[in-house]
Amino acid sequence: MGRGHPIRAAGAMLALAGLLSACASNPTAAPSSVKADREPDEQGGEPLLSKAHVPHVVISETFLTPAAPADNLDSPAAWRAPDGRRWIITTAKGSHQLVVFDGDSGVRLRGVGGKGTALGQLDRPNGISVVDDLAFVVERDNRRVQVFSLPAFEPLAVFGSEVLREPYGLWVRPLDRGYEVIVSDNYMSPANKDVPPPLAELGQRFKRFRFAREGGQWQGKATGSFGDTGEQGAVRIAESVYGDVANDRLMIAEEDTAVGTQLREYGLDGRYKGRNIGARQFQAQAEGMTLMQCADGSGYWIATDQFKDRSLFHVFDRRSLAHVGAFSGRITANTDGVWLDPSGDARFPQGVFYALHDDQAVAAFDWRDIAKALRLKECAK
């Protein structure tokens, strides 16, 4: 287990014990309400890490948040509150909320939102990104991005409904006194919602937006779209996208197992760079990604391989994209979104990696445990 405050650790142990008991009885089970709502990337069988024989190390979770199957959690993002506490803000597709947890203990703090179309309401929130004091949230069924000001979760604006068709994930970066927002748009074939469109129709897989203050108010405007339409570079099933500005790189998870799930390397300009990563490593399904950025320009990508019994997390060198190793938790399974918070505190001095567990909880991994297990270099932030 990770290190930390003894009272918080005791509470975390209780939460972890409860989930251990539930997982022991049926580690691949998920609530029927979740299973009935299948995504386009959930076709086919149930790949199991226990049968895949993929080399990896096992790392104990520091904690798991209390299980809440009805929320149908999808993606986490971390933020520092004004009092210095770390929050995990998590999208909840089932309850149409943002669920906030204490980032150092896993205690549930509050829920925000509720189903609807009005400002402040949500309809099936999926991807989330927190930059500065803003939370950007993709709403699949409202076909938009909504932005909240933290810590009060004041809704500032919605945008994108005029161009988005079935949005899932996003990546946000500060740019030109505002923010650039890149959203994955996983529209499927009109004739069959379980089948990706023909390659020629994938040129708008990702939508760009500029979010900035204009006339004293926040506004989001579409600025273009991109997507390769070639056999090697097209993204058939799109959700997770993450950028590395220093290396002019967008990493995109190809979730379509029919063509081989892996990571595709694009440039920040939206052009496919001609390289795919992890074809030999991913055996279940490439999912959420995040990046540890070190002060000297080095660092590590972490990308999820979504096995149903226990998720596998592949680690790649930031610069070369060479595969460094892989790890799993003892419990964490069926992971969608992940988030890396590199900031240190007494609980997690070198940062913390968060991963969704089976649509119902968030797992936390101490970065020191990951670095030690995989013999990663010390990363100065």
Side-chain angles (χ1 to χ4, degrees):
M1 298 297 292
R3 298 155 289 271
H5 192 284
I7 296 178
R8 287 180 173 176
M13 286 294 293
L14 288 174
L16 183 58
L19 275 165
L20 273 167
S21 176
C23 292
S25 61
N26 190 354
T28 63
S32 58
S33 60
V34 173
K35 287 297 181 183
D37 189 9
R38 294 170 66 85
E39 305 280 12
D41 63 339
E42 292 178 330
Q43 311 307 313
E46 302 283 305
L48 302 177
L49 181 59
S50 59
K51 297 181 179 180
H53 307 295
V54 181
H56 66 284
V57 297
V58 178
I59 300 173
S60 294
E61 294 87 347
T62 304
F63 66 76
L64 285 96
T65 62
D71 279 328
N72 194 0
L73 302 177
D74 188 87
S75 296
W79 181 75
R80 285 285 185 176
D83 63 1
R85 297 172 68 189
R86 196 192 316 254
W87 289 359
I88 313 168
I89 307 168
T90 309
T91 56
K93 298 179 292 189
S95 58
H96 308 282
Q97 291 185 313
L98 300 178
V99 178
V100 185
F101 300 96
D102 184 284
D104 285 349
S105 68
V107 171
R108 184 173 179 136
L109 301 177
R110 63 180 295 196
V112 177
K115 188 172 184 178
T117 59
L119 195 65
Q121 295 180 321
L122 301 160
D123 197 348
R124 196 177 174 88
N126 273 73
I128 182 171
S129 182
V130 172
V131 180
D132 298 328
D133 292 335
L134 301 176
F136 296 77
V137 181
V138 171
E139 300 177 58
R140 190 196 71 178
D141 290 356
N142 275 335
R143 298 183 297 107
R144 68 188 187 185
V145 177
Q146 184 161 188
V147 185
F148 296 85
S149 174
L150 301 174
F153 289 92
E154 175 190 358
L156 298 180
V158 295
F159 59 89
S161 60
E162 71 281 4
V163 296
L164 293 171
R165 296 158 64 181
E166 198 158 348
Y168 276 83
L170 81 167
W171 175 67
V172 182
R173 63 162 169 162
L175 184 68
D176 298 334
R177 292 182 296 179
Y179 301 88
E180 181 180 42
V181 183
I182 296 177
V183 181
S184 60
D185 199 356
N186 200 46
Y187 53 88
M188 303 300 279
S189 173
N192 186 343
K193 294 298 184 182
D194 292 333
V195 177
L199 293 179
E201 298 178 18
L202 294 175
Q204 298 182 355
R205 232 352 167 206
F206 300 89
K207 305 294 196 306
R208 293 185 190 270
F209 301 90
R210 170 176 165 76
F211 186 71
R213 283 187 180 273
E214 295 187 12
Q217 294 195 352
W218 288 100
Q219 297 183 31
K221 293 184 177 180
T223 59
S225 61
F226 64 90
D228 195 85
T229 57
E231 186 69 33
Q232 294 299 312
V235 180
R236 281 77 166 177
I237 296 181
E239 183 171 350
S240 299
V241 55
Y242 204 98
D244 181 0
V245 175
N247 289 290
D248 183 30
R249 179 174 286 154
L250 283 175
M251 296 301 290
I252 299 169
E254 169 59 87
E255 300 186 19
D256 188 3
T257 56
V259 299
T261 185
Q262 56 201 291
L263 307 181
R264 305 205 190 282
E265 183 188 7
Y266 279 56
L268 295 175
D269 62 1
R271 297 177 183 270
Y272 173 55
K273 286 193 169 186
R275 179 163 58 162
N276 295 321
I277 309 300
R280 295 182 180 179
Q281 284 81 34
F282 290 96
Q283 295 191 26
Q285 187 177 73
E287 268 280 354
M289 296 175 292
T290 190
L291 177 64
M292 171 63 86
Q293 303 181 55
C294 304
D296 63 357
S298 64
Y300 302 97
W301 286 94
I302 303 179
T304 307
D305 204 357
Q306 193 185 44
F307 288 96
K308 299 301 179 181
D309 55 345
R310 279 189 302 123
S311 298
L312 192 64
F313 303 103
H314 293 288
V315 181
F316 300 89
D317 181 83
R318 179 186 183 185
R319 291 184 175 126
S320 69
L321 299 182
H323 191 251
V324 175
F327 69 94
S328 75
R330 296 192 180 278
I331 300 170
T332 308
N334 194 29
T335 296
D336 288 309
V338 299
W339 187 271
L340 178 69
D341 183 352
S343 65
D345 61 8
R347 184 70 166 116
F348 297 109
Q350 295 180 22
V352 52
F353 172 68
Y354 296 111
L356 256 292
H357 167 61
D358 204 24
D359 303 321
Q360 57 190 297
V362 182
F365 294 85
D366 193 316
W367 179 257
R368 293 173 297 177
D369 296 336
I370 298 172
K372 180 179 179 181
L374 293 179
R375 300 181 180 178
L376 305 179
K377 60 166 285 187
E378 185 173 348
C379 181
K381 314 298 194 304

